[in-house]
Amino acid sequence: MRKVALLAGGFGTRLSEETTVRPKPMVEIGGRPIMWHIMKMYAHYGVREFVVLGGYKVDFIRDYFLSYRSRGCDFTIDLKSGDTEWLEAAAEDWKVTVVDTGYDSMTGGRLRRARHHLEGGRFGLTYGDGVSNVDIPALIATHETADAWCTLTAVTQPGRYGALRLSDDRRQVLGFREKGAADGGLINGGFFVCEPEMLDLIDDDQTTLEAEPMDRLIARGKLASYHHDGYWQSMDSLRDKHLLEEQWIKGAPWKVWA
């Protein structure tokens, strides 16, 4: 798996205190966008090519990566000629593709619009607003043995999310249910491994990835799960942001890189 697609185009209305000026994946934790933390985790495991699926305020994402080197490096500039000497190469060893997938596109539609960047083989996919210490090599290994077109990461999270119905060995997704995981169930935590075939299950811009495509994968027996019982946290509200900030200061349980 060489590439990871990050869903980064939604409005983030439940975090409107921050998202009126920037897309939610660009909201900062510890002085860095939460999407940067996700990318650092993947890079730790050797995955360094990213396709960012932007939409709402995509120019904010473009500007961030276009100026990434200048943000982190000391430099000397000749103001008359404009010649610049970079004194310290602090930029990450990443290749980042930023795609405008439409202002109103749904999650499946965003992925469909970027398929020409992803059809070269197996790819990763995740949401741009959640961090975890998920073991990516173990996730990929589970996918390889599952004969699936898509493997999601199942996590425990109390509260407001719809829970998964899994097979007895927790290796195959059988369906979804509305009741949240407060009853001990597992939820979809993102961090998918996907085969290009799954892209054919997305109809158009208004397709929600978590609806028809997932149902079609389930009907074909092609949606598998990897159970992650470690750390996972999404950033859906200002309260979540404050929690992540506190955890970052204390050591950041999702920080797998040195």
Side-chain angles (χ1 to χ4, degrees):
M1 188 177 83
R2 294 188 304 109
K3 294 183 179 181
V4 176
L6 295 103
L7 289 160
F11 298 105
T13 52
R14 286 182 290 184
L15 193 59
S16 58
E17 299 89 345
E18 293 274 355
T19 56
T20 54
V21 296
R22 72 189 77 198
K24 187 164 67 164
M26 300 305 292
V27 174
E28 293 185 351
I29 302 298
R32 299 276 195 169
I34 189 170
M35 186 165 63
W36 176 91
H37 293 261
I38 299 167
M39 296 163 86
K40 284 287 286 187
M41 184 272 289
Y42 274 105
H44 171 75
Y45 292 111
V47 184
R48 297 186 176 90
E49 292 190 38
F50 303 96
V51 181
V52 180
L53 311 181
Y56 172 69
K57 294 189 180 296
V58 66
D59 284 345
F60 197 104
I61 299 174
R62 287 171 170 153
D63 292 344
Y64 177 79
F65 287 109
L66 286 171
S67 62
Y68 191 93
R69 184 175 184 181
S70 63
R71 290 170 183 267
C73 293
D74 295 337
F75 62 88
T76 299
I77 184 169
D78 185 319
L79 296 180
K80 184 176 182 180
S81 67
D83 293 339
T84 304
E85 177 187 0
W86 299 103
L87 304 179
E88 183 179 356
E92 308 289 347
D93 182 21
W94 301 345
K95 182 177 180 181
V96 181
T97 301
V98 179
V99 183
D100 184 354
T101 59
Y103 188 81
D104 295 320
S105 298
M106 304 302 285
T107 48
R110 297 193 187 285
L111 190 59
R112 182 175 179 268
R113 283 200 178 200
R115 67 178 299 161
H116 56 291
H117 295 290
L118 300 168
E119 288 182 320
R122 181 178 296 157
F123 62 92
L125 169 67
T126 196
Y127 305 108
D129 61 356
V131 289
S132 177
N133 62 353
V134 60
D135 186 332
I136 296 300
L139 167 61
I140 295 171
T142 296
H143 177 78
E144 289 176 340
T145 61
D147 189 31
W149 288 358
C150 179
T151 299
L152 58 77
T153 298
V155 300
T156 302
Q157 171 75 13
R160 57 192 178 274
Y161 302 92
L164 301 171
R165 184 164 57 86
L166 302 180
S167 58
D168 290 340
D169 62 2
R170 293 183 170 179
R171 297 293 295 275
Q172 186 174 0
V173 180
L174 303 178
F176 296 85
R177 53 195 171 91
E178 291 299 321
K179 185 174 176 58
D183 62 350
L186 298 173
I187 65 166
N188 169 22
F191 297 98
F192 303 89
V193 179
C194 307
E195 300 298 328
E197 288 85 349
M198 76 160 290
L199 298 171
D200 294 328
L201 305 180
I202 302 171
D203 293 330
D204 53 35
D205 284 354
Q206 296 308 304
T207 301
T208 300
L209 178 67
E210 300 79 4
E212 292 91 347
M214 292 295 167
D215 290 340
R216 290 165 182 167
L217 285 166
I218 291 169
R220 290 166 170 78
K222 292 296 186 179
L223 180 59
S225 72
Y226 168 75
H227 182 207
H228 171 64
D229 58 5
Y231 178 85
W232 180 89
Q233 178 64 50
S234 64
M235 185 181 64
D236 289 319
S237 66
L238 193 60
R239 180 180 179 181
D240 293 336
K241 172 181 162 53
H242 291 160
L243 172 65
L244 290 167
E245 288 279 13
E246 292 172 4
Q247 292 179 340
W248 176 257
I249 292 170
K250 294 177 181 178
W254 66 89
K255 188 176 182 291
V256 297
W257 62 94

